[in-house]
Amino acid sequence: MVERNVDVAELVARARAGEARAVGRLISLVESDSPVLRTVAAALVPHVGRAQVVGLTGPPGVGKSTSTSALVAALRAQHLRVGVLAVDPSSPFSGGALLGDRVRMQEHATDSGVFIRSMASRGHLGGLSAAVPQALRVLDAAGCDAVIIETVGVGQAEFEIASLADTTVLLLAPGLGDGIQAAKAGILEIADVLVVNKADRDGADQLARDLRHMQSLGGHSVEENAVAAAWRVPIRKTIATTGEGVAEVVAAISDHYAWLQGSAELATRRQRRAAVEIEAIALGHVRARLARVHDSAALAAAAADVVAGRTDPYSAADTILQAG
Amino acid sequence: MVERNVDVAELVARARAGEARAVGRLISLVESDSPVLRTVAAALVPHVGRAQVVGLTGPPGVGKSTSTSALVAALRAQHLRVGVLAVDPSSPFSGGALLGDRVRMQEHATDSGVFIRSMASRGHLGGLSAAVPQALRVLDAAGCDAVIIETVGVGQAEFEIASLADTTVLLLAPGLGDGIQAAKAGILEIADVLVVNKADRDGADQLARDLRHMQSLGGHSVEENAVAAAWRVPIRKTIATTGEGVAEVVAAISDHYAWLQGSAELATRRQRRAAVEIEAIALGHVRARLARVHDSAALAAAAADVVAGRTDPYSAADTILQAG
């Protein structure tokens, strides 16, 4: 239910003042197909670009939502405003200000410095929902210092999340057999910070050693950069349930952001992110246009011309595209 | 290897005079991505619309290529010019005037009244190759009275073939367990003529009875039509290896064409076919354009504008699409 006569400028002002309801309304608007979406996108322009976007990914069972909650707590301890987008590839549902089933998240539910939003990940085209980058922009404009996008690491989703993030944190844990798997899938290469969670469990040290060994073999730990010193991907150990080691992860994330800002890499990543986003929107427009063509009188007329031998299908397609 | 300076008008004239080499060249041209493709399409316009397009489909092992060869022989006995497009979903290869591995087809290889062409079925978009309808138009323009499109009945291909055909012949055979399966897949509903091949085998009569029973249950046998009498889908039995029953199938195909011509259905089907073809071409154009956008300077500039806070992604997408 999206009203047409919404005062977008007022909503943006209220969101920037920290009003969670306004933030939620704006995200709902960018998730909708309403024309208001464009008004919102335009209204956000002067206010975006400040937030550090942190992608948090890793295999199921690694402790992602617990880690997200611990990260939020650590960031809040620094009086930073934090946004969380929990992207769930398995859920077709979206919306809601709170993740009811995430008990650990509830401790932040009443904190006015935290905005939490659950989103269905899949757009109708199968890729990451086009609304995710827009929701990011809303949280950015709302004055968040950091926005965490959390996703279940299944298939393509973690790569898509990484493409949206300034900093990608990959969570692993002992006993999941994911260390080697992750390396195989190329996922290690997109990580800016590696975290071994459940560090109190057997195998945690071994997993950290394995990761370090893989780094030394594959050269994954070093990103060459012409301008700045290379970034060495740090490996941190945490017990997210107790908060142990989380401050060090926050520090690593912060270090990475400082490195990004001091190098050309931040501009490169954001440029790439914007290009991906623009392309996705353009593709969506074109698909919508072709869908309209499908039942159009223009197509019927062009087909009739082809059948009657007045034109060929290629010229007819040109006519259709020009008319659309 | 497609020459640029090909004399399309002369090729079309030679094809219409029955020169197999010219027909083959034209099909190669429409299979290519060369700009000559459009010249060929335009040159065919005055000469198309005469051929009856017969789609022949059915499960593997049903005797399709034998049946096609028998149909060709029966049509040739009536001194009709016949084209055959053998579409093979499993083959990425295309071209050639003869199907070397199809012994039965070789009997027609030296017959100047028969054009036989093998085509890879899959276009790069996954659907039926866009070249198939163009090759149909070449054979039509070359003066074929009938063009048979034969495909292995796997998945979507048979429905796509049916969408191109005036008359769809579905081949079944006893012992393949396909009668019921076909009905389940909805394939019976696209058949205009049903053929039980291998009629000398056990179970052929039972299969024919089952099909008749399914028709009576499902009402598949009758296509309601406001203008003309309804078409009752005939069931014919053949032994393609000996030619037994094939004349009756040819008669049924001919009856169906007469029915199509006497009703609004021929115009409806050809209109639908042309619309599908135009849409596919338009979609191809748009995809090519978006692929060009992907690496364009315009996209890079638009992304830079978004990053710098000069515009929003939606406005940037508009700019890209207008520039493209």
Side-chain angles (χ1 to χ4, degrees):
Chain A
M1 294 293 286
V2 173
E3 311 94 296
R4 296 283 160 152
N5 299 321
V6 64
D7 186 337
V8 169
E10 193 211 337
L11 268 184
V12 171
R14 280 163 50 201
R16 289 181 57 72
E19 199 186 303
R21 245 186 98 237
V23 174
R25 285 280 302 287
L26 286 170
I27 294 181
S28 294
L29 289 173
V30 298
E31 284 185 311
S32 76
D33 268 338
S34 146
V36 184
L37 161 60
R38 298 184 67 112
T39 314
V40 173
L44 299 176
V45 168
H47 309 300
V48 294
R50 254 192 76 258
Q52 178 181 12
V53 178
V54 179
L56 195 80
T57 191
V62 78
K64 245 175 348 282
S65 79
T66 311
S67 294
T68 301
S69 186
L71 281 175
V72 170
L75 292 163
R76 288 299 296 142
Q78 299 177 23
H79 305 290
L80 297 173
R81 192 180 281 190
V82 185
V84 177
L85 284 180
V87 175
D88 183 354
S90 65
S91 168
F93 301 109
S94 195
L98 231 204
L99 305 170
D101 57 335
R102 300 188 168 196
V103 176
R104 305 233 149 228
M105 279 303 191
Q106 291 192 353
E107 71 191 57
H108 305 297
T110 55
D111 180 346
S112 66
V114 183
F115 304 118
I116 301 171
R117 181 76 170 207
S118 176
M119 295 186 84
S121 70
R122 298 289 102 182
H124 53 99
L125 305 181
L128 196 69
S129 165
V132 174
Q134 298 310 316
L136 267 182
R137 292 171 70 83
V138 169
L139 292 167
D140 186 357
C144 289
D145 300 284
V147 179
I148 300 172
I149 327 179
E150 177 203 330
T151 188
V152 178
V154 191
Q156 196 54 25
E158 48 201 340
F159 291 95
E160 292 176 307
I161 290 297
S163 80
L164 294 174
D166 297 317
T167 302
T168 298
V169 179
L170 174 62
L171 285 181
L172 297 169
L176 295 177
D178 289 294
I180 304 300
Q181 232 177 329
K184 274 189 189 158
I187 195 75
L188 272 184
E189 305 187 34
I190 62 168
D192 301 303
V193 176
L194 286 169
V195 176
V196 175
N197 191 30
K198 306 188 181 180
D200 51 343
R201 295 211 181 162
D202 281 352
D205 291 336
Q206 185 58 48
L207 176 55
R209 272 194 301 273
D210 287 349
L211 289 170
R212 221 166 279 131
H213 182 60
M214 274 189 266
Q215 284 184 331
S216 68
L217 286 178
H220 297 330
S221 63
V222 178
E223 274 188 38
E224 295 302 339
N225 190 292
V227 191
W231 173 250
R232 298 190 165 268
V233 175
I235 301 173
R236 296 287 174 264
K237 286 187 275 186
T238 57
I239 306 171
T241 46
T242 65
E244 201 177 314
V246 173
E248 286 77 8
V249 174
V250 169
I253 291 170
S254 175
D255 287 349
H256 185 250
Y257 200 49
W259 175 80
L260 286 174
Q261 288 175 312
S263 76
E265 187 61 20
L266 185 65
T268 302
R269 292 191 181 196
R270 291 191 169 178
Q271 167 84 15
R272 193 167 52 209
R273 187 200 307 174
V276 167
E277 193 177 344
I278 294 167
E279 256 193 292
I281 292 167
L283 181 62
H285 284 340
V286 166
R287 282 184 182 268
R289 201 173 113 191
L290 285 175
R292 285 195 303 275
V293 160
H294 183 72
D295 291 313
S296 70
L299 178 60
D305 284 346
V306 169
V307 172
R310 286 188 291 265
T311 190
D312 67 90
Y314 289 87
S315 305
D318 290 345
T319 309
I320 288 295
L321 288 174
Q322 278 150 22
Chain B
M1 294 292 287
V2 173
E3 310 95 296
R4 295 283 160 155
N5 299 320
V6 64
D7 186 337
V8 169
E10 192 212 336
L11 269 183
V12 171
R14 280 163 50 200
R16 288 182 56 74
E19 199 186 302
R21 245 186 99 238
V23 174
R25 287 280 302 286
L26 286 169
I27 294 181
S28 295
L29 288 172
V30 298
E31 283 186 311
S32 75
D33 268 338
S34 144
V36 184
L37 163 60
R38 298 183 67 112
T39 314
V40 174
L44 300 176
V45 167
H47 309 299
V48 294
R50 254 192 76 255
Q52 178 181 12
V53 179
V54 179
L56 194 80
T57 192
V62 79
K64 247 176 346 281
S65 79
T66 312
S67 293
T68 300
S69 186
L71 281 175
V72 169
L75 292 163
R76 289 297 298 142
Q78 298 178 23
H79 305 290
L80 298 173
R81 193 179 282 189
V82 185
V84 177
L85 285 179
V87 175
D88 183 353
S90 66
S91 168
F93 301 109
S94 196
L98 231 205
L99 305 170
D101 57 334
R102 298 189 168 195
V103 176
R104 303 232 153 233
M105 278 302 190
Q106 293 191 350
E107 70 190 58
H108 304 299
T110 54
D111 180 347
S112 66
V114 183
F115 305 118
I116 301 171
R117 180 78 171 205
S118 176
M119 296 186 83
S121 70
R122 298 288 101 184
H124 54 98
L125 305 180
L128 196 68
S129 164
V132 174
Q134 298 310 315
L136 267 182
R137 292 171 70 83
V138 169
L139 292 168
D140 186 356
C144 288
D145 300 285
V147 179
I148 300 173
I149 327 179
E150 177 204 329
T151 189
V152 178
V154 190
Q156 197 55 23
E158 50 202 337
F159 290 96
E160 291 174 308
I161 290 297
S163 80
L164 294 174
D166 297 318
T167 301
T168 298
V169 178
L170 175 61
L171 283 182
L172 297 170
L176 296 176
D178 289 294
I180 303 300
Q181 232 178 326
K184 272 187 189 161
I187 195 73
L188 272 185
E189 305 187 34
I190 63 168
D192 301 304
V193 176
L194 286 170
V195 177
V196 175
N197 191 30
K198 305 188 181 182
D200 51 342
R201 294 209 182 162
D202 280 352
D205 290 337
Q206 185 58 47
L207 176 55
R209 270 195 302 274
D210 288 350
L211 289 170
R212 221 167 278 132
H213 183 60
M214 275 189 266
Q215 285 185 332
S216 69
L217 286 178
H220 296 329
S221 63
V222 179
E223 273 188 40
E224 295 302 340
N225 189 293
V227 190
W231 173 251
R232 299 192 163 266
V233 175
I235 301 174
R236 297 287 174 265
K237 286 187 275 188
T238 58
I239 306 171
T241 47
T242 66
E244 200 177 315
V246 172
E248 286 77 8
V249 174
V250 169
I253 291 169
S254 174
D255 287 349
H256 185 250
Y257 201 49
W259 175 80
L260 286 173
Q261 289 175 311
S263 75
E265 188 61 19
L266 185 64
T268 302
R269 291 190 181 196
R270 293 192 166 179
Q271 167 84 14
R272 193 167 53 209
R273 187 200 308 174
V276 167
E277 194 178 343
I278 295 166
E279 257 194 291
I281 293 167
L283 181 61
H285 285 340
V286 166
R287 282 184 182 267
R289 201 173 113 191
L290 285 176
R292 284 195 303 275
V293 160
H294 183 72
D295 291 312
S296 70
L299 178 59
D305 284 346
V306 169
V307 172
R310 287 189 290 267
T311 189
D312 67 90
Y314 289 88
S315 304
D318 290 346
T319 308
I320 289 293
L321 287 174
Q322 279 150 21

